[in-house]
Coordinates of all heavy atoms in Angstrom, one line a residue:
A21 N 194.7 141.0 11.3 CA 194.4 139.6 10.7 C 195.6 139.0 10.0 O 196.0 137.9 10.1 CB 193.2 139.7 9.8
A22 N 196.3 139.9 9.1 CA 197.4 139.4 8.3 C 198.6 138.9 9.2 O 199.3 138.1 8.8 CB 197.9 140.5 7.4
S23 N 198.7 139.4 10.5 CA 199.7 139.0 11.3 C 199.5 137.7 12.0 O 200.4 137.1 12.6 CB 199.9 140.1 12.4 OG 198.8 140.1 13.3
T24 N 198.3 137.1 11.8 CA 198.0 135.8 12.4 C 198.4 134.6 11.5 O 198.2 134.8 10.2 CB 196.5 135.7 12.8 OG1 195.7 135.7 11.6 CG2 196.1 136.8 13.7
P25 N 198.8 133.5 12.0 CA 199.2 132.4 11.1 C 198.1 131.8 10.2 O 198.4 131.4 9.1 CB 199.7 131.3 12.1 CG 200.0 132.1 13.4 CD 199.1 133.3 13.4
S26 N 196.9 132.0 10.7 CA 195.7 131.3 9.9 C 195.4 132.1 8.6 O 194.8 131.7 7.7 CB 194.5 131.3 10.8 OG 194.1 132.6 11.2
V27 N 195.8 133.4 8.6 CA 195.5 134.2 7.5 C 196.7 134.2 6.4 O 197.9 134.6 6.7 CB 195.3 135.7 7.8 CG1 195.1 136.6 6.5 CG2 194.0 135.8 8.5
T28 N 196.4 133.6 5.2 CA 197.5 133.3 4.3 C 197.4 134.2 3.0 O 198.4 134.2 2.2 CB 197.6 131.8 3.9 OG1 196.3 131.5 3.3 CG2 197.9 131.0 5.2
A29 N 196.3 134.8 2.8 CA 196.1 135.6 1.6 C 195.3 136.9 1.9 O 194.3 136.8 2.6 CB 195.3 134.8 0.5
V30 N 195.8 138.0 1.4 CA 195.1 139.3 1.7 C 195.1 140.1 0.4 O 196.1 140.1 -0.4 CB 195.9 140.1 2.8 CG1 195.3 141.5 3.0 CG2 195.7 139.3 4.1
T31 N 194.1 140.8 0.2 CA 194.0 141.9 -0.9 C 193.6 143.2 -0.3 O 192.6 143.2 0.4 CB 193.0 141.5 -2.1 OG1 193.3 140.1 -2.5 CG2 193.1 142.5 -3.2
T32 N 194.4 144.3 -0.5 CA 194.1 145.5 0.0 C 194.8 146.7 -0.7 O 195.4 146.4 -1.7 CB 194.6 145.6 1.6 OG1 194.1 146.7 2.2 CG2 196.1 145.4 1.7
W33 N 194.7 147.9 -0.1 CA 195.3 149.0 -0.7 C 196.3 149.7 0.3 O 196.3 149.4 1.5 CB 194.2 150.0 -1.1 CG 193.3 150.3 0.0 CD1 193.6 151.2 1.1 CD2 192.0 149.8 0.3 NE1 192.5 151.4 2.0 CE2 191.5 150.4 1.5 CE3 191.2 148.9 -0.4 CZ2 190.2 150.2 2.0 CZ3 190.0 148.6 0.1 CH2 189.4 149.3 1.3
N34 N 197.1 150.6 -0.3 CA 198.0 151.4 0.6 C 197.3 152.4 1.5 O 196.2 152.9 1.1 CB 199.0 152.1 -0.3 CG 200.3 151.3 -0.5 OD1 200.7 150.6 0.3 ND2 200.8 151.4 -1.8
P35 N 197.8 152.6 2.6 CA 199.2 152.2 3.2 C 199.1 150.8 3.8 O 200.1 150.3 4.2 CB 199.5 153.3 4.3 CG 198.1 153.7 4.8 CD 197.2 153.7 3.6
L36 N 197.9 150.2 3.9 CA 197.9 148.8 4.5 C 198.7 147.9 3.7 O 199.4 146.9 4.2 CB 196.4 148.4 4.6 CG 195.4 149.3 5.3 CD1 194.1 148.6 5.2 CD2 195.8 149.5 6.7
L37 N 198.7 148.0 2.3 CA 199.4 147.1 1.6 C 200.9 147.1 1.9 O 201.5 145.9 2.1 CB 199.2 147.5 0.0 CG 199.9 146.6 -1.0 CD1 199.2 145.3 -1.1 CD2 199.9 147.3 -2.4
N38 N 201.6 148.2 2.0 CA 202.9 148.2 2.3 C 203.3 147.7 3.7 O 204.2 147.0 4.0 CB 203.5 149.6 2.1 CG 203.7 150.0 0.7 OD1 203.8 149.2 -0.2 ND2 203.6 151.3 0.3
E39 N 202.3 147.9 4.6 CA 202.5 147.5 6.0 C 202.5 145.9 6.1 O 203.3 145.3 6.7 CB 201.5 148.0 6.9 CG 201.7 148.0 8.4 CD 200.7 148.7 9.3 OE1 200.0 149.5 8.7 OE2 200.8 148.5 10.5
I40 N 201.5 145.3 5.4 CA 201.4 143.8 5.4 C 202.6 143.3 4.6 O 203.2 142.3 5.0 CB 200.0 143.4 4.8 CG1 198.9 143.9 5.8 CG2 199.9 141.9 4.8 CD1 197.5 143.7 5.3
L41 N 203.0 143.9 3.6 CA 204.1 143.4 2.7 C 205.4 143.3 3.5 O 206.2 142.5 3.2 CB 204.2 144.2 1.4 CG 205.3 143.8 0.4 CD1 205.0 142.4 -0.1 CD2 205.2 144.7 -0.7
S42 N 205.5 144.2 4.5 CA 206.7 144.2 5.3 C 206.8 143.0 6.2 O 207.8 142.8 6.9 CB 206.8 145.5 6.1 OG 205.8 145.6 7.1
M43 N 205.7 142.3 6.4 CA 205.7 141.1 7.3 C 206.6 139.9 6.8 O 206.6 139.8 5.6 CB 204.2 140.7 7.6 CG 203.5 141.7 8.3 SD 201.7 141.1 8.5 CE 201.0 142.6 9.4
P44 N 207.1 139.1 7.6 CA 208.0 138.0 7.1 C 207.2 137.1 6.1 O 206.1 136.8 6.4 CB 208.4 137.3 8.4 CG 208.1 138.3 9.6 CD 207.0 139.2 9.1

């Protein structure tokens, strides 16, 4: 979901947090 343009805000935990944080 975080990789799609329509999603602009996410709250989560690791390891998902670091994976999404690495996105542009």
Side-chain angles (χ1 to χ4, degrees):
S23 67
T24 64
S26 61
V27 173
T28 59
V30 172
T31 305
T32 189
W33 54 78
N34 269 323
L36 306 180
L37 183 69
N38 285 335
E39 190 171 351
I40 297 171
L41 184 57
S42 69
M43 296 179 181

